[in-house]
């Protein structure tokens, strides 16, 4: 079911919508709405099976070029797919980091051997990936990476610590930014390595979040090894490759993300109307603002789709992260005192409480303005690279 030659966008949308309606049934019916931030523990094995079902139908990696095993879909068709996927309530993808980040990075910067080795396994969901960027001293400031890798014969030997590594506990591989030139500083001397996780010298420690779930992890590399050929781009070019990955991170999938946002704000509006909270001026004003800002986000995403202009991704991140955090706050205002209570039966993911959807939204969105590049870093980039203001003092 790869993109058909000559198929109009309307025909493509109808085909995707019909396929999802037919296939999100039977064994997959329970997966509607499952997974996503704060809920990655839900139906994990079943979601892997669902993604392999998508792959068998040719509906994974539809934006990759056909020569790389993808669907060769246009930008418009990729937007349509992500919108329809979200509208259908299809489960969040466990292979997002491989399909949406590493795959396009390998297509842009990888060797033919790397593409042949890794792309089919990503597309078919036979290997899962995690992202080894953030460190205790280098969160949003990626250029401050201190994890090192040295070349010994035909292998890189990696030592250091990564943190906030999503899904590292289930990943087969990690794409790691490491310092490979001793004495180098900032963005110089970094390399982008592909490192297997199942080996001596790799330890994963889950980090328990406010929601009680543990999809983030610390990862410790202590002499972990990977083949010398598993460097993407040339050694020392890791900054350029890593920035390419971050650009792919905020691509067309964000429009599907906004469909999910729209579903959340609609459900919250319905709750406010049902409970009478919408009659309070501050709640009504907050909901009107949320709807308006959601339309602004969509207009910005459509206007800048495919743009490589500096600042585009940073503005998009600031828009959705702050909006989503405020939505969690509105939810708690709508819930009132009831929002402070959680089920203490011990059946929740944390082993202590069960959170409802609004409590989970409020707690997890505290992180939205931090992960993937904090608000402060996004604003620094805009100030320095777009507005030309003086650089912030750095140690």
């Amino acid at each position: 079911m790869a993109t058909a030659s000559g198929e109009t966008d309307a025909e493509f949308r109808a085909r995707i919508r019909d396929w999802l309606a037919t296939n999100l049934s039977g064994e997959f019916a329970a997966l509607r709405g499952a997974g996503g931030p704060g809920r990655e523990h839900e139906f994990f094995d079943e979601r892997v099976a669902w993604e392999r079902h998508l792959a068998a139908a040719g509906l994974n990696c539809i934006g990759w070029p056909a020569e790389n095993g993808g669907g060769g879909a246009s930008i418009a068709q990729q937007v349509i797919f992500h919108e329809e996927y979200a509208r259908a309530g299809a489960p969040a993808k466990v292979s997002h980091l491989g399909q949406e980040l590493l795959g396009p990075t390998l297509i842009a910067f990888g060797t033919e051997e790397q593409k042949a080795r890794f792309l089919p396994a990503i597309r078919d969901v036979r290997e899962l990936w995690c992202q080894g960027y953030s460190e205790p001293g280098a969160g949003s400031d990626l250029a401050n990476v201190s994890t090192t890798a040295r070349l010994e014969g035909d292998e890189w030997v990696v030592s250091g610590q990564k943190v906030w590594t999503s899904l590292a506990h289930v990943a087969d591989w990690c794409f790691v930014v490491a310092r490979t030139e001793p004495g180098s500083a900032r963005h110089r001397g970094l390399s982008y390595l592909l490192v297997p996780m199942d080996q001596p010298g790799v330890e994963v420690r889950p980090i328990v979040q406010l929601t009680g779930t543990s999809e983030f992890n610390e990862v410790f590399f202590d002499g972990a090894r990977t083949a010398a050929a598993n460097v993407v781009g040339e050694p020392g070019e890791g900054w350029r490759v890593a920035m390419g990955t971050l650009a792919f991170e905020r691509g067309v999938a964000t429009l599907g993300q906004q469909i999910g946002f729209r579903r959340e704000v609609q459900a919250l509006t319905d709750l406010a109307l049902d409970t009478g909270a919408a009659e309070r001026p501050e709640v009504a004003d907050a909901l009107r603002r949320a709807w308006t800002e959601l339309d602004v986000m969509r207009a910005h995403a459509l206007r800048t789709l495919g743009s490589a202009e500096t600042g585009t991704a940073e503005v998009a991140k600031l828009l959705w992260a702050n909006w989503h955090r405020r939505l969690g706050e509105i939810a708690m205002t709508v819930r009132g005192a009831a929002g402070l209570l959680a089920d203490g039966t011990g059946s929740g993911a944390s082993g202590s409480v069960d959170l409802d959807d609004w409590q989970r939204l409020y707690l997890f969105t505290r992180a939205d303005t931090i992960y993937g590049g904090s608000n402060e870093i996004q604003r620094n980039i805009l100030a320095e690279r777009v507005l030309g203001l003086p650089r912030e003092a750095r140690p």
Side-chain angles (χ1 to χ4, degrees), residues 233-290:
E234 295 297 323
E237 290 186 353
W239 179 261
R240 180 173 69 94
V241 180
M243 291 303 100
T245 300
L246 291 178
F248 293 125
E249 183 177 16
R250 293 164 193 167
V252 296
T254 59
L255 287 160
Q257 177 191 48
Q258 290 172 22
I259 298 294
F261 289 166
R262 188 169 294 273
R263 185 180 297 114
E264 287 177 340
V265 73
Q266 182 63 65
L268 185 56
T269 300
D270 292 342
L271 178 65
L273 291 170
D274 290 344
T275 61
E279 297 176 10
R280 294 157 52 190
E282 71 275 16
V283 172
D285 288 346
L287 288 170
R288 280 192 290 266
R289 178 178 176 179

Side-chain angles (χ1 to χ4, degrees), residues 121-146:
I122 293 172
R123 181 197 59 211
D124 298 338
V125 201
R126 289 184 279 109
E127 292 177 338
L128 299 178
W129 288 80
C130 60
Q131 181 179 20
Y133 276 20
S134 295
E135 299 183 2
S140 295
D141 186 11
L142 182 59
N144 203 33
V145 160
S146 60

Side-chain angles (χ1 to χ4, degrees), residues 87-104:
R87 285 196 180 101
K93 288 193 168 187
V94 299
S95 61
H96 168 80
L97 291 166
Q99 292 184 24
E100 303 293 342
L101 276 69
L102 181 64

Side-chain angles (χ1 to χ4, degrees), residues 71 82 85 131 182 187 249 278 307 345 368 376:
H82 286 292
Y85 192 90
Q131 181 179 20
H187 60 274
E249 183 177 16
S307 172
T345 61
D368 282 355
E376 292 78 8

Side-chain angles (χ1 to χ4, degrees), residues 43-326:
F43 298 102
F44 184 83
D45 292 339
E46 294 84 353
R47 285 160 56 209
V48 170
W50 162 254
E51 288 184 48
R52 290 173 177 166
H53 185 63
L54 281 170
L59 291 177
N60 268 352
C61 310
I62 65 166
W64 293 7
E67 59 268 26
N68 296 120
S74 67
I75 291 290
Q77 289 171 327
Q78 292 176 57
V79 170
I80 288 168
F81 177 84
H82 286 292
E83 288 182 337
E84 292 302 322
Y85 192 90
R87 285 196 180 101
K93 288 193 168 187
V94 299
S95 61
H96 168 80
L97 291 166
Q99 292 184 24
E100 303 293 342
L101 276 69
L102 181 64
T105 300
L106 289 177
I107 291 169
F109 300 102
T111 64
E112 293 306 313
E113 291 76 15
Q114 289 170 345
K115 295 173 189 178
R117 163 62 184 86
F118 293 110
L119 291 181
I122 293 172
R123 181 197 59 211
D124 298 338
V125 201
R126 289 184 279 109
E127 292 177 338
L128 299 178
W129 288 80
C130 60
Q131 181 179 20
Y133 276 20
S134 295
E135 299 183 2
S140 295
D141 186 11
L142 182 59
N144 203 33
V145 160
S146 60
T147 294
T148 62
R150 68 182 186 276
L151 197 57
E152 288 188 358
D154 59 356
E155 290 183 315
W156 293 100
V157 181
V158 184
S159 295
Q161 179 185 357
K162 298 294 180 178
V163 72
W164 313 122
T165 310
S166 299
L167 301 179
H169 58 297
V170 295
D172 302 292
W173 288 79
C174 184
F175 48 100
V176 177
V177 175
R179 195 164 297 281
T180 53
E181 296 180 11
S184 61
R186 302 297 299 166
H187 60 274
R188 298 178 180 85
L190 301 174
S191 295
Y192 191 107
L193 305 176
L194 310 178
V195 181
M197 295 290 285
D198 185 14
Q199 62 164 309
V202 177
E203 180 184 358
V204 178
R205 298 180 188 172
I207 299 172
V208 178
Q209 302 153 195
L210 284 173
T211 54
T213 55
S214 300
E215 62 207 49
F216 295 141
N217 304 269
E218 294 178 287
V219 180
F220 296 87
F221 297 101
D222 184 12
R225 293 175 177 268
T226 192
N230 286 341
V231 56
V232 182
E234 295 297 323
E237 290 186 353
W239 179 261
R240 180 173 69 94
V241 180
M243 291 303 100
T245 300
L246 291 178
F248 293 125
E249 183 177 16
R250 293 164 193 167
V252 296
T254 59
L255 287 160
Q257 177 191 48
Q258 290 172 22
I259 298 294
F261 289 166
R262 188 169 294 273
R263 185 180 297 114
E264 287 177 340
V265 73
Q266 182 63 65
L268 185 56
T269 300
D270 292 342
L271 178 65
L273 291 170
D274 290 344
T275 61
E279 297 176 10
R280 294 157 52 190
E282 71 275 16
V283 172
D285 288 346
L287 288 170
R288 280 192 290 266
R289 178 178 176 179
W291 280 108
T292 301
E293 290 179 341
L294 186 59
D295 288 338
V296 170
M297 279 193 286
R298 177 172 173 77
H300 174 77
L302 290 171
R303 182 179 64 83
T304 59
L305 203 58
S307 172
E309 184 178 352
T310 300
T312 297
E314 289 74 21
V315 169
K317 176 62 166 58
L318 286 169
L319 285 173
W320 77 255
N322 287 284
W323 180 91
H324 206 211
R325 186 176 66 179
R326 284 194 297 271

Side-chain angles (χ1 to χ4, degrees), residues 302-387:
L302 290 171
R303 182 179 64 83
T304 59
L305 203 58
S307 172
E309 184 178 352
T310 300
T312 297
E314 289 74 21
V315 169
K317 176 62 166 58
L318 286 169
L319 285 173
W320 77 255
N322 287 284
W323 180 91
H324 206 211
R325 186 176 66 179
R326 284 194 297 271
L327 189 69
E329 294 166 355
I330 298 169
M332 289 297 96
T333 300
V334 170
R335 291 291 314 283
L340 301 177
L341 301 177
D343 181 0
T345 61
S347 58
S350 66
S352 57
V353 297
D354 278 328
L355 301 174
D356 65 30
D357 289 343
W358 302 118
Q359 292 166 333
R360 186 180 295 109
L361 175 72
Y362 172 73
L363 290 175
F364 196 88
T365 54
R366 302 297 88 196
D368 282 355
T369 55
I370 301 172
Y371 72 77
S374 70
N375 277 2
E376 292 78 8
I377 291 296
Q378 306 305 321
R379 289 170 178 145
N380 276 356
I381 293 172
L382 291 170
E384 296 171 5
R385 302 183 190 175
V386 178
L387 301 179

